Each structure stands twice: as structure tokens, then as C-alpha cells.
């Protein structure tokens, strides 16, 4: 029993909304019944597929549980059990995969406020603490500082998870210093490997 992807995001946005489980049975004859159970790592059984006769080669799961509700985010695995007419009952389990329908949860904390990048040794750098909570890994992120007119002043970005803290000296990408006594806006964006963006 193999999984077609590391995870999926069943939120109807057209990106990774389903996951495919591929089943290969050595002897697909003389089968009385089969059952595929999809389990949440901490919450247990969430979805069951079952039938009689030969086992299908593919199962497509849309993230809906047996009660027809969207299932919980987290780590999952699937188990396939087959009952043969002659009494054999082999079982196999898939590798784990992730389900995350919602976007990552982000936080930004700025200190000190206000800060004054004037090289006097006091509050010269702004410490930007970035927090990301996500079931699936972060694929890329950006932190954009906008000037008082909402134009981009400087952009920090990267692949994978961001570091927990950035230091900013108050200068733009071209070396221009911030305007005194002005409000600048920080916009933090992160995208996970399943296509969810916050």
C-alpha cells in the first residue's frame, strides 16, 4: 500500500485536494472481502473503504471522514486488510502522510517599538520574531517592510522555514534609511508544501 504524495490539502482550492493510495495485492483472486482504514495518528479511525471481491488498484481520498465531515489536520496512515475465502487475512500499512486544509498560523513580534536606527547604541536595530505553526513544512516565506506610502522598502525572503528572529538596521535594499517618526508596516507571508498560504 503506497501513498501518491507526502500529504494533501482538502480545502477545495484546486491544489492537492485529494490523495491517492495505490494497492497491490499479490493474489487478487479468491478474495472474500477487503477493508481500507485511514487513521489519524492521535485520533484513530477516520475513513473506511470496504468491499467484496478483487481489491481496487487505487483509492482516492478527498479528506472527508466517515461522518461526511472534513477530517482533522495531522499525520495519517492507511491500513489494508484482505480476507481470502481460504481463511488467510494479510494486512499492510502505508507510510504516514499529512493532511492540512488550513493555512499555516503565523505570528510577528517586533521589538523595540519604536526603534531608532541612528547609531547611538540605543534601540538601533529592530528585532523581528517570526512564528510559524504548520502541519506540513514551509516551502517559502517573505517579510516585506512597507514605507508610510505602502511601497516596498525592503524584502526578506527564503526557502524552507524562516529563522525565528531577524534583525533590521532600518535601511532599505538600496541603503536608504527610514524616515524619522514614521510608521512602517511589516507583512509576513508563508506558504507550505501543500500550497496553503497565510
Amino acid at each position: 500500500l503506497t501513498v501518491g504524495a507526502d500529504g494533501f490539502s482538502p480545502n477545495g482550492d484546486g491544489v492537492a485536494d485529494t490523495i491517492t493510495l495505490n494497492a497491490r495485492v499479490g493474489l487478487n483472486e479468491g478474495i472474500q472481502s477487503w477493508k481500507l482504514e485511514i487513521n489519524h495518528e492521535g485520533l484513530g479511525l477516520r475513513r473506511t473503504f470496504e468491499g467484496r471481491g478483487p481489491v481496487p488498484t487505487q483509492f482516492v481520498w478527498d479528506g472527508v471522514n466517515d461522518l461526511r465531515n472534513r477530517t482533522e489536520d495531522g499525520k495519517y496512515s492507511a491500513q489494508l486488510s484482505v480476507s481470502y475465502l481460504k481463511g488467510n487475512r494479510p494486512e499492510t500499512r502505508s507510510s504516514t502522510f499529512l493532511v492540512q486544509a488550513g493555512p499555516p498560523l503565523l505570528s510577528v513580534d517586533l521589538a523595540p517599538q519604536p526603534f531608532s536606527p541612528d547609531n547611538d547604541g540605543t534601540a538601533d536595530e529592530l528585532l523581528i520574531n517570526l512564528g510559524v505553526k504548520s502541519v506540513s513544512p514551509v516551502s517559502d516565506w517573505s517579510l516585506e517592510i512597507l514605507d508610510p506610502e505602502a511601497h516596498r522598502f525592503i524584502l526578506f525572503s527564503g526557502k524552507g522555514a524562516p529563522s525565528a528572529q531577524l534583525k533590521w538596521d532600518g535601511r532599505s535594499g538600496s541603503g536608504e534609511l527610514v524616515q524619522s517618526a514614521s510608521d512602517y508596516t511589516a507583512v509576513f507571508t508563508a506558504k507550505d508544501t501543500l500550497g496553503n498560504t497565510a
Side-chain angles (χ1 to χ4, degrees), residues 44-59:
L45 181 63
R46 285 294 173 261
R47 183 76 167 100
T48 306
F49 298 87
E50 53 190 334
R52 299 195 160 284
V55 178
T57 58
Q58 274 193 346
F59 298 89

Side-chain angles (χ1 to χ4, degrees), residues 6-50:
D6 292 333
F8 75 119
S9 175
N11 56 14
D13 66 355
V15 179
D17 285 327
T18 61
I19 194 164
T20 302
L21 300 158
N22 301 298
R24 196 183 73 205
V25 179
L27 180 62
N28 214 0
E29 298 167 3
I31 293 174
Q32 183 175 8
S33 62
W34 53 265
K35 184 187 287 186
L36 177 77
E37 296 177 316
I38 299 176
N39 297 286
H40 183 281
E41 187 176 65
L43 301 173
L45 181 63
R46 285 294 173 261
R47 183 76 167 100
T48 306
F49 298 87
E50 53 190 334

Side-chain angles (χ1 to χ4, degrees), residues 52-115:
R52 299 195 160 284
V55 178
T57 58
Q58 274 193 346
F59 298 89
V60 177
W61 185 39
D62 59 2
V64 173
N65 64 22
D66 284 336
L67 299 174
R68 304 312 299 160
N69 300 319
R70 189 182 68 76
T71 196
E72 300 83 358
D73 291 350
K75 288 184 180 179
Y76 284 76
S77 63
Q79 180 173 312
L80 176 65
S81 54
V82 179
S83 293
Y84 285 88
L85 293 168
K86 293 187 176 181
N88 294 333
R89 294 173 187 253
E91 292 183 350
T92 186
R93 183 176 290 277
S94 74
S95 58
T96 59
F97 57 92
L98 302 173
V99 175
Q100 181 169 332
L105 298 175
L106 307 182
S107 63
V108 179
D109 184 51
L110 309 171
Q113 289 195 60
F115 87 115

